[in-house]
Amino acid sequence: MTSSKPSSADALYLARACELAARGAGSTAPNPPVGAVVVRDGGTLGEGFHHRRGDAHAEVEALADARGRGFETIGATLVVSLEPCDHAGLTPPCTDAIVGAGIARVVIGTRDPNRKTAGAGIARLRGAGLEVEIAEFPWAQRLIEPFATAIASPRPYVLLKIAASLDGYVAPNEGSFWLTGEPSRERVRELRAALDAVMVGAGTIRADDSRLSVRPPHARRRPYNRIVVCGLKPPASDARVFAPLDGYAATILIAPEGARATFADVAKTTTCIFVPGGHDGRVDLEAGLRALKDAGVSSLVCEGGPTLASALLAAGLVDRLVWFVAPLFLGGPRAVPALTPHPPLGGWRFDGLERSGDDLLLTAKLPVDV
């Protein structure tokens, strides 16, 4: 099943389909975000995206939008960011709607990575006589990266966010410190909103007393998850992360099995996941992540601190790294390093470099063969 480079016109519509798909990121889980555009003769007839699980898929929305505008879809082209589904779940197969609408040509941003369904939609459309082109469009692939990783793994997709000074520190001393500018902080809020959960270490909660909320709040089909990885003791019971919030699940604590008694009180208002751990309080992070996947968390952004970030990297449990570099030096006798201890960082493929206000933003993906 070969792919082809999209024409300049198809690339523009694929970009629009991806832009639409991104609007659903964070709300469609466990489904991937998808966007679609119906076009004819260089003009848009209809658009749509998948809003949340159980709602109409992007292709059906785009076709309905075209009909609602009074356009005929027979002989038109459908541009969609992800291969249309050919199976019935909470909604009928999208391929049925596409064939039934008389679509003549379908341009697909990327194949469905789910081994149970991959290629079935393409085969169904071609079998019905439609022309199908597969672009393997980079933006379309990036949109489904969390979905593609989670369906192939017993643990969630893990995106690690690190912010550091030019000399590799997060603060001049212990305690809360604003390192990056507002544009970077806004980007981090967007990262949280696009995934199922945010995870930090207990030390970060003690230092910042953050609520780990998504701002601004937005409608989700499932409650948002806040996760704290603990050592032998939980954060203070009055920490803001434990306060109930509309649209949020009870905070999840991951703690060592041997510390159950210490967590008895906080377990009354949180969800505690106990996993194997040593006397030093370090938990088996892989076991914790597997338990999170079993609990319905398919993707998360980890915001540290330094000890948790290093442990995830050392264990090979990070799928994407997002690293903000602030234009200042913080080195000193009490400065807090971004990673402690420093883990091996070989094998990363850096694929993004951009400005974020006054900061620098780098992104990297762990190669699949590492």
Side-chain angles (χ1 to χ4, degrees):
M1 196 176 292
T2 60
S3 303
S4 60
K5 183 178 180 180
S7 68
S8 57
D10 286 344
L12 286 174
Y13 287 118
L14 278 169
R16 177 57 177 167
C18 290
E19 182 183 351
L20 291 164
R23 298 181 185 181
S27 299
T28 61
N31 296 338
V34 184
V37 185
V38 183
V39 301
R40 190 205 310 273
D41 300 328
T44 297
L45 308 184
E47 298 182 333
F49 68 96
H50 186 37
H51 290 254
R52 58 185 61 82
R53 182 172 184 259
D55 285 0
H57 286 192
E59 302 92 323
V60 174
E61 273 224 338
L63 292 168
D65 184 44
R67 289 191 293 268
R69 297 184 188 187
F71 292 119
E72 176 58 67
T73 58
I74 295 176
T77 293
L78 175 73
V79 181
V80 59
S81 62
L82 180 65
E83 177 184 349
C85 66
D86 189 48
H87 62 277
L90 296 178
T91 61
C94 289
T95 51
D96 287 352
I98 296 169
V99 173
I103 293 294
R105 177 172 174 262
V106 180
V107 179
I108 295 171
T110 189
R111 296 176 177 85
D112 188 337
N114 190 337
R115 293 178 181 176
K116 296 180 180 179
T117 59
I122 295 169
R124 165 81 167 91
L125 295 173
R126 285 178 172 165
L130 280 70
E131 178 186 350
V132 179
E133 296 185 25
I134 308 158
E136 296 301 355
F137 198 56
W139 190 355
Q141 294 173 327
R142 179 67 180 270
L143 277 167
I144 65 163
E145 184 177 291
F147 170 76
T149 301
I151 62 170
S153 172
R155 63 165 177 82
Y157 171 84
V158 176
L159 183 152
L160 175 63
K161 186 276 294 186
I162 295 176
S165 62
L166 287 168
D167 51 350
Y169 294 94
V170 298
N173 48 56
E174 292 288 347
S176 183
F177 178 76
W178 283 118
L179 177 64
T180 54
E182 178 56 32
S184 296
R185 294 197 288 272
E186 178 61 27
R187 293 291 292 271
V188 173
R189 290 192 283 267
E190 292 172 359
L191 289 176
R192 288 185 185 181
L195 302 179
D196 291 348
V198 57
M199 182 172 76
V200 300
T204 297
I205 295 299
R206 295 187 182 102
D208 297 342
D209 195 22
S210 171
R211 293 193 308 170
L212 300 182
S213 57
V214 177
R215 299 189 297 274
H218 65 287
R220 285 175 171 269
R221 179 174 177 81
R222 300 189 303 169
Y224 191 76
N225 290 279
R226 298 171 291 172
I227 304 160
V228 182
V229 179
C230 302
L232 298 174
K233 295 191 301 183
S237 59
D238 60 351
R240 295 200 304 163
V241 72
F242 297 140
L245 286 174
D246 289 341
Y248 294 77
T251 300
I252 298 174
L253 298 185
I254 299 177
E257 178 66 44
R260 280 182 179 269
T262 308
F263 283 75
D265 287 339
V266 74
K268 298 173 183 177
T269 56
T270 65
T271 300
C272 289
I273 295 176
F274 295 100
V275 297
H279 295 296
D280 59 357
R282 302 287 179 89
V283 299
D284 184 330
L285 289 172
E286 184 168 8
L289 290 172
R290 286 172 177 258
L292 289 173
K293 178 75 176 295
D294 291 341
V297 177
S298 296
S299 61
L300 63 87
V301 53
C302 177
E303 298 185 24
T307 302
L308 178 57
S310 290
L312 286 168
L313 287 168
L317 297 173
V318 177
D319 300 295
R320 178 163 289 277
L321 178 68
V322 175
W323 194 305
F324 294 90
V325 180
L328 71 165
F329 294 98
L330 295 176
R334 301 178 63 189
V336 181
L339 295 169
T340 177
H342 202 285
L345 293 177
W348 287 87
R349 183 197 306 128
F350 282 87
D351 56 10
L353 173 64
E354 60 182 282
R355 286 281 297 272
S356 178
D358 292 332
D359 306 317
L360 187 65
L361 170 58
L362 300 96
T363 59
K365 187 180 187 304
L366 187 67
V368 295
D369 57 349
V370 171

